[in-house]
Amino acid sequence: MGVEPTRRMMQVLAGQALDPPPVWLMRQAGRYLPEYRATRETAGGFLDLCYTPKLAAEVTLQPIRRYAFDAAILFSDILVVPDALGQHVRFVEGEGPRLDALASADDIARLDPVATAKKFSIVCETVARLRSDLPAETTLIGFCGAPWTVATYMIGGRGSPDQAAARLFAYRQPEAFARLMDLLVDVSVDYLSQQISAGADCVQIFDSWAGSLPDDEFARWVVAPTKRMVAALESRHQGVPVIGFPRGAGANAARYVRETGVTAIGCDTAEPLGAMRNLAQMRRKASGAIAAQGNLDPLLLVSGGEALDRRVDEILEAMDGVPFIFNLGHGIVPQTPPENVSRLVNRVRGDGA
Ligand code: CP3
């Protein structure tokens, strides 16, 4: 075996504070890059891109070539899981995802965990390619959606501002909803476990709609399923870091960290910097330090200029000396000028500032 490469993001996930902090951006592969749009056109549909390892690996690598981010995130989508379970998923140009909404316990019973094997193994082929094509110092992040967030799309059939369909379903048919959540926990653990075995260094669980729930439901549908996933992954892949991203958790963020056992917490744009610093100073029962990741407003990356520089500096100053990974508070939006991303990365790294 060769010498272990130094992956800076992995050092932070192990509890070190690094100056400058490692940096990567959610949705760093995507439509703001002309080379992504070109590859996307050759693939046909969006899901075809996700299920073609050569092309999915290519679009993952594009932002690494441009910006030398400290981490690459597997190119795929959280809706690969419902698709692999046999629920029909399509992406409508300019509108986003559409699924044949689950409406009953029977619809849930028809989902087929055994059927996921084929599509999961295609995604893992992308992971394996990436691990061999990436620079040795680049951390490779695997991911999935959290059960609650994935369920909101499966039940709503599309994105919605308030996740009303899923919340109503959970209130009206609690047993069927619990079965769906159990199934998503099991399938998502298998999926992440396969990504880790294929070469992912760490994984992120995206709970984009964690913020829409009252606190009892937050405990039941966000904290508990995530806790089960973290424990199952820890027993299969000891020490592999898990980053949780409970977007909108607000005052529940500390509880999320304490109770789920995640290694790191992704903070959204609204998290006050002082609170993000406090999260990065929490301790885990098992193994010490927590890291925080976040939380620049993606729209500041669109507008750029000195306001961007100022906020980057404020975040760096607030997180100085604690385990921290620089990121956005949500994904890059398509109208982002690619040169603003260079400006951000240079600023974080103290190059040409
Ligand atoms: O670069 C990366 O971050 C990796 C790839 C990635 C995508 N989606 C690619 C994608 C990741 C990690 C995701 C996660 C994801 N997908 C989330 C959680 C994070 C978040 O944003 O809250 C959610 C909720 C989804 C579901 C999803 N996928 C929606 C709502 C949409 C439509 C909105 C949009 O931006 O078009 C997608 C499509 C999607 N996923 C695109 C990309 C690059 C754009 C599709 C295209 O190229 O046409």
Side-chain angles (χ1 to χ4, degrees):
M1 293 298 283
V3 181
E4 277 289 295
T6 306
R7 296 191 180 135
R8 299 180 81 250
M9 176 153 150
M10 296 303 288
Q11 293 179 302
V12 171
L13 290 170
Q16 288 186 50
L18 294 187
D19 180 18
V23 53
W24 70 279
L25 304 178
M26 291 188 279
R27 291 279 184 98
Q28 62 193 20
R31 286 165 295 187
Y32 77 107
L33 292 178
E35 60 268 35
Y36 171 85
R37 296 195 297 269
T39 308
R40 167 88 159 77
E41 237 164 73
T42 68
F46 174 71
L47 278 176
D48 298 316
L49 178 55
C50 295
Y51 292 135
T52 310
K54 187 165 178 280
L55 298 181
E58 166 58 23
V59 296
T60 308
L61 292 166
Q62 287 167 350
I64 306 302
R65 291 190 198 112
R66 259 191 200 248
Y67 306 114
F69 286 120
D70 291 281
I73 182 162
L74 162 69
F75 189 85
S76 180
D77 196 83
I78 66 166
L79 300 179
V80 157
V81 167
D83 179 66
L85 283 165
Q87 187 176 14
H88 186 53
V89 178
R90 60 235 175 259
F91 284 82
V92 181
E93 214 59 57
E95 289 187 42
R98 294 287 182 276
L99 297 80
D100 294 345
L102 304 178
S104 68
D106 284 349
D107 290 345
I108 292 169
R110 271 194 293 275
L111 298 169
D112 181 7
V114 177
T116 57
K118 195 155 162 241
K119 282 173 173 165
F120 286 1
S121 79
I122 295 172
V123 173
C124 289
E125 208 182 305
T126 307
V127 175
R129 263 176 186 269
L130 283 168
R131 195 56 283 172
S132 79
D133 291 351
L134 278 168
E137 69 276 13
T138 310
T139 295
L140 177 56
I141 307 168
F143 76 92
C144 70
W148 164 249
T149 287
V150 173
T152 67
Y153 288 95
M154 294 177 82
I155 293 168
R158 60 201 296 168
S160 77
D162 56 7
Q163 298 77 56
R167 285 157 59 206
L168 275 174
F169 190 104
Y171 292 134
R172 286 178 174 153
Q173 303 187 62
E175 281 163 23
F177 188 73
R179 266 203 305 285
L180 174 62
M181 294 294 277
D182 286 346
L183 182 146
L184 288 172
V185 166
D186 293 344
V187 167
S188 303
V189 165
D190 284 342
Y191 184 41
L192 291 181
S193 175
Q194 288 168 35
Q195 293 179 34
I196 293 165
S197 298
D201 296 305
C202 61
V203 293
Q204 177 156 325
I205 300 173
F206 286 88
D207 220 341
S208 303
W209 299 118
S212 61
L213 293 170
D215 53 358
D216 280 357
E217 280 69 27
F218 184 87
R220 195 171 304 141
W221 306 129
V222 172
V223 172
T226 305
K227 179 179 177 173
R228 281 173 56 203
M229 289 179 64
V230 171
L233 289 169
E234 178 63 21
S235 79
R236 293 194 206 177
H237 306 274
Q238 209 190 350
V240 172
V242 179
I243 306 164
F245 178 54
R247 191 167 72 93
N252 281 317
R255 172 186 195 185
Y256 176 92
V257 169
R258 206 163 36 243
E259 295 179 16
T260 60
V262 291
T263 322
I265 179 157
C267 294
D268 61 72
T269 303
E271 190 74 25
L273 297 185
M276 181 158 75
R277 185 180 176 87
N278 289 341
L279 291 168
Q281 291 178 292
M282 289 179 66
R283 311 289 299 173
R284 289 175 89 203
K285 263 178 274 156
S287 60
I290 293 285
Q293 171 176 284
N295 77 341
L296 185 85
D297 187 345
L299 296 185
L300 208 38
L301 194 57
V302 175
S303 66
E306 283 171 20
L308 169 64
D309 295 348
R310 255 197 322 277
R311 185 61 178 175
V312 169
D313 293 351
E314 279 169 12
I315 294 173
L316 291 173
E317 196 183 311
M319 301 308 288
D320 185 46
V322 298
F324 176 59
I325 298 157
F326 199 103
N327 205 315
L328 302 177
H330 200 192
I332 293 186
V333 298
Q335 66 268 37
T336 304
E339 57 275 19
N340 286 357
V341 178
S342 306
R343 185 176 181 131
L344 162 72
V345 171
N346 290 339
R347 192 84 184 177
V348 171
R349 295 192 169 144
D351 302 338

